[in-house]
Amino acid sequence: MWPERFQRLRQKMEPSAREQMLGAEELVLNETAHGNGAAVAAVLCANKKLVKLDLKGAKLTTEEVVMVVAAAPNRLHTLVLEGNDVDQRGMDALGQLLSMETSALRVLNLENAKATDQGRNQDGLRLFCVGLSKNTTLTELCLVNNDIHAGGAQHIGEA
């Protein structure tokens, strides 16, 4: 049985679109995913072909971002989280994803994702940098329009 949120997401879509979502190599969900982070995570678990996930502007909460990142398959090579609330826990989860030896992630877009190196969020960026330093596949990282200052940028550069 699929989670209730997945059922709501399925109801918004045409039947052919639902089948495509479960068998697609690329998914662009954007606003469709708004408030449906658990459903997106369920799709990630069910879809065995997905390599690109674009959630630009989906307005996912930090908790939803963490669920999606935790469910991200090792074969995923592009993840777009632009405009979502990544925060400390999201950066930590992304760091864990990046540090996996089996990670195939090559493109990570965190533009305007509320990532910061200020206050209590410093740990999230630090853990992200640890994962980044272990990663051998990432070739493109976008952190435009976030609250990352010189110290945080230096840590990212050193990773």
Side-chain angles (χ1 to χ4, degrees):
M1 184 72 178
W2 291 99
E4 180 183 334
R5 287 183 175 183
F6 183 70
Q7 296 296 341
R8 284 185 288 177
L9 180 61
R10 286 185 63 175
Q11 290 169 357
K12 291 181 185 178
M13 302 175 73
E14 296 294 323
S16 61
R18 281 183 256 158
E19 297 309 315
Q20 288 175 351
M21 184 172 66
L22 293 174
E25 290 184 10
E26 297 185 12
L27 280 179
V28 179
L29 295 176
N30 305 87
E31 293 85 21
T32 308
H34 179 63
N36 289 299
V40 173
V43 168
L44 287 174
C45 292
N47 182 316
K48 302 301 181 199
K49 297 179 183 178
L50 190 68
V51 293
K52 180 179 179 181
L53 179 61
D54 185 342
L55 295 168
K56 178 181 176 180
K59 299 178 183 171
L60 298 178
T61 65
T62 301
E63 292 77 18
E64 291 173 316
V65 167
V66 170
M67 281 189 277
V68 167
V69 171
N74 292 342
R75 69 188 167 282
L76 195 67
H77 68 69
T78 301
L79 179 58
V80 178
L81 291 171
E82 180 179 340
N84 290 286
D85 191 0
V86 175
D87 203 346
Q88 175 184 350
R89 289 171 291 154
M91 292 299 280
D92 182 17
L94 286 164
Q96 291 175 29
L97 176 66
L98 289 170
S99 68
M100 293 172 50
E101 289 181 20
T102 56
S103 174
L105 199 61
R106 296 188 305 245
V107 177
L108 178 58
N109 182 338
L110 297 173
E111 182 175 342
N112 195 30
K114 300 181 183 173
T116 183
D117 62 349
Q118 300 299 298
R120 64 186 184 111
N121 292 315
Q122 291 176 359
D123 287 341
L125 185 66
R126 184 183 55 76
L127 294 169
F128 175 79
C129 288
V130 169
L132 189 59
S133 69
K134 294 178 181 180
N135 185 277
T136 59
T137 60
L138 194 69
T139 58
E140 187 178 324
L141 173 62
C142 180
L143 288 165
V144 175
N145 292 327
N146 284 289
D147 189 25
I148 299 173
H149 297 245
Q154 182 176 350
H155 290 304
I156 293 167
E158 292 170 354

